[in-house]
């Protein structure tokens, strides 16, 4: 990228500098890094990028920057680190507006001071508001509360041409622009730059209990999950993991299967429902007020596969993970999403076979989806990271509308979008 573009960006943003090799996005080194400190400054940066024809890749805290596929170009790495304010916390309305670069852990601290929370898990410490929305990241709490697309009620974005677009509002019942929030959730920076988000909140529960029980095999895990889901205990989350673990975490022996249940509410209700779950899973079910170490975390491994698999597919999912060999691990939520981790010694061919098994699992009349989030370069070169995408033509149409020159994170998403 020429010095003319660098000079043009420096005129509208105070924090502009050449990119460095260590800042490469999956090996693609950015020409320039810009860190705007306001929505207006971000819009000016995007306007100049459009005039100069620059390919733009947004960056938050880099917790998921290695997800997806390498960009075809990265002329401008747009860092949101300085967009880190809580714009407004309307505690009486259970609503908060925050800038995209704010860390989810910092947002949680602000909300907790008023007895409230954003009911989204943060599997990766340091994740930002914008990155969480852009990757549609969620964990076990999705069973009761949903994902970012369900909790975002307002969104401010900067389009590829530098125009600022807003949708929704700070009142929960205002659903104007809800589709825009859904579009940008999981868009991986390919439609525009997320700069602010408004979320609906929930009160921090007065009490909670984490129940964990090691089970001997996939069939018992399936039976336990089904029993909990069909019980009157109304869990906030149900997890199933395979883990090396330890007895303190209730994981039993290495390679075992553990079912975890989260109950929330008033103390008396949680106590009563804990008794109901222990009656289902066994009286030796471990109960603790705090989550086990593995709760909501991604499994270890150099390859991470995101799997959409409903409770009815759990037995087959566990079998597919077992067939992947030693070191393969699973973390799955009863909301129908999970992750498979494969160790570094897993050959590309075995990764491909594991993907085939996962994508062959039934999900009602369809098949389960399995997407490679990150993997070594040798694996990425040998496998189809995305698998079948029935809505690809529709997604291309949306991309053409929001980013007609295909400059936003080009090639980072499915189908080369």
């Amino acid at each position: 990228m020429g010095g003319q573009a660098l000079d043009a960006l420096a005129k509208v943003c105070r924090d502009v500098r050449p990119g460095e090799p260590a800042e490469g996005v999956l090996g693609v080194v950015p020409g320039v890094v810009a860190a705007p400190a306001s929505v207006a400054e971000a819009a000016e940066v995007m306007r100049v990028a459009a005039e100069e024809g620059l390919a733009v890749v947004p960056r938050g805290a880099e917790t998921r920057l290695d997800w997806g596929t390498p960009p075809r170009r990265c002329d401008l790495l747009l860092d949101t680190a300085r967009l880190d304010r809580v714009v407004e916390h309307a505690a009486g309305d259970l609503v908060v507006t925050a800038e995209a670069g704010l860390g989810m852990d910092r947002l949680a601290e602000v909300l907790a001071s008023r007895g409230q929370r954003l009911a989204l898990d943060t599997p990766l410490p340091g994740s930002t508001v914008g990155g969480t929305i852009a990757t549609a990241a969620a964990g076990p709490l999705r069973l009761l509360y949903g994902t970012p697309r369900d909790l975002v009620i307002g969104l401010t974005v900067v389009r590829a041409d530098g125009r600022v677009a807003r949708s929704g509002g700070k009142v929960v019942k205002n659903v104007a622009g809800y589709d825009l929030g859904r579009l940008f959730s999981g868009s991986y920076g390919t439609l525009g730059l997320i700069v602010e988000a408004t979320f609906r909140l929930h009160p921090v529960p007065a009490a909670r209990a984490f129940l964990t029980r090691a089970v001997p095999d996939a069939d018992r895990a399936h039976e336990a999950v089904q029993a909990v889901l069909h019980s009157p205990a109304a869990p906030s989350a149900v997890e199933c993991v395979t883990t090396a673990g330890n007895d303190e975490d209730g994981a039993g022996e290495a390679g075992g299967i553990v079912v975890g249940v989260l109950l929330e509410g008033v103390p008396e209700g949680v106590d009563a429902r804990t008794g109901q779950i222990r009656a289902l899973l066994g009286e030796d079910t471990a109960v603790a007020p705090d989550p086990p170490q593995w709760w909501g975390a991604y499994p270890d491994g150099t390859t991470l596969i995101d799997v959409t698999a409903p409770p009815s597919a759990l037995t087959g999912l566990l079998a597919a993970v077992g067939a992947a060999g030693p070191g393969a691990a699973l973390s799955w939520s009863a909301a129908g999403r999970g992750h498979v981790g494969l160790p570094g010694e897993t050959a590309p061919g075995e990764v491909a076979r594991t993907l085939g098994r996962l994508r062959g699992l039934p999900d009602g009349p369809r098949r389960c989806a399995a997407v490679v989030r990150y993997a070594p370069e040798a694996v990425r070169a040998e496998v189809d990271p995305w698998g079948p995408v029935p809505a690809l033509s529709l997604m291309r149409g949306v991309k053409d509308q929001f980013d007609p020159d295909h400059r936003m994170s080009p090639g980072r998403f499915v189908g080369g979008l």
Side-chain angles (χ1 to χ4, degrees):
M1 190 186 74
Q4 177 181 343
L6 179 59
D7 292 342
L9 288 167
K11 291 178 181 178
V12 299
C13 181
R14 286 179 292 178
D15 192 345
V16 175
R17 57 178 174 78
E20 300 178 1
E23 298 176 294
V25 181
L26 291 173
V28 181
V29 179
V32 173
V33 178
S38 67
V39 172
E41 197 172 18
E44 283 296 292
V45 169
M46 292 285 283
R47 179 186 61 78
V48 171
E51 292 174 352
E52 298 292 333
L54 306 181
V56 181
V57 177
R59 177 178 71 180
E62 297 191 53
T63 55
R64 295 180 178 86
L65 200 58
D66 58 350
W67 285 28
T69 47
R72 290 189 295 273
R73 294 163 49 204
C74 183
D75 303 322
L76 171 61
L77 188 64
L78 205 157
D79 192 334
T80 63
R82 298 172 68 201
L83 296 169
D84 62 350
R85 299 181 306 132
V86 174
V87 178
E88 181 181 10
H89 180 197
D93 293 327
L94 286 170
V95 166
V96 68
T97 299
E99 291 183 329
L102 181 69
M104 294 288 285
D105 48 359
R106 175 58 185 150
L107 177 60
E109 292 175 1
V110 172
L111 299 177
S113 68
R114 301 293 298 273
Q116 297 177 354
R117 65 173 175 170
L118 173 58
L120 283 173
D121 304 284
T122 1
L124 294 175
S127 299
T128 62
V129 167
T132 298
I133 297 171
T135 57
L141 287 174
R142 70 194 313 151
L143 178 66
L144 182 61
Y145 300 100
T147 65
R149 65 185 297 179
D150 302 302
L151 296 172
V152 170
I153 61 171
L155 202 64
T156 300
V157 302
V158 181
R159 298 187 59 171
D161 59 5
R163 289 183 294 172
V164 177
R166 292 180 171 87
S167 68
K170 70 176 185 179
V171 180
V172 174
K173 65 181 180 181
N174 183 351
V175 296
Y178 186 67
D179 286 346
L180 181 60
R182 286 177 174 266
L183 284 176
F184 274 75
S185 180
S187 62
Y188 284 80
T190 59
L191 298 179
L193 175 69
I194 299 170
V195 288
E196 285 183 5
T198 301
F199 299 96
R200 62 186 178 98
L201 306 174
H202 292 83
V204 174
R208 63 179 186 172
F210 291 87
L211 295 86
T212 54
R213 175 66 191 272
V215 294
D217 53 47
D219 288 336
R220 288 290 297 275
H222 178 266
E223 292 171 3
V225 169
Q226 291 293 334
V228 171
L229 291 177
H230 289 88
S231 75
S236 295
V238 179
E239 281 271 273
C240 182
V241 300
T242 62
T243 175
N246 53 52
D247 290 337
E248 180 181 349
D249 282 344
E253 297 296 325
I257 303 171
V258 184
V259 174
V261 180
L262 169 61
L263 301 176
E264 298 177 317
V266 298
E268 297 81 3
V270 169
D271 288 345
R273 290 151 59 210
T274 296
Q276 294 174 350
I277 296 299
R278 294 188 72 181
L280 292 172
L281 300 184
E283 290 303 316
D284 55 344
T285 297
V287 182
D290 297 312
Q293 184 177 359
W294 46 261
W295 183 268
Y298 298 133
D300 291 336
T302 59
T303 295
L304 183 71
I305 303 172
D306 189 320
V307 183
T308 301
S312 59
L314 179 58
T315 302
L317 176 58
L318 287 164
V321 173
L330 169 72
S331 176
W332 172 87
S333 164
R337 291 290 292 274
H339 294 86
V340 175
L342 301 176
E345 59 269 22
T346 308
E350 183 54 45
V351 176
R353 284 188 286 274
T354 299
L355 282 170
R357 296 186 193 104
L358 295 172
R359 290 169 180 167
L361 295 174
D363 181 1
R366 304 169 298 175
R367 295 293 175 182
C368 292
V371 175
V372 177
R373 292 307 185 198
Y374 60 74
E377 185 176 355
V379 172
R380 294 201 312 267
E382 292 293 327
V383 304
D384 172 9
W386 303 103
V389 183
L392 184 56
S393 60
L394 177 61
M395 296 167 69
R396 285 178 173 146
V398 173
K399 172 72 170 177
D400 290 340
Q401 180 179 359
F402 280 83
D403 179 23
D405 296 327
H406 289 212
R407 292 183 300 100
M408 294 301 302
S409 300
R412 291 278 284 151
F413 203 22
V414 60
L417 295 178

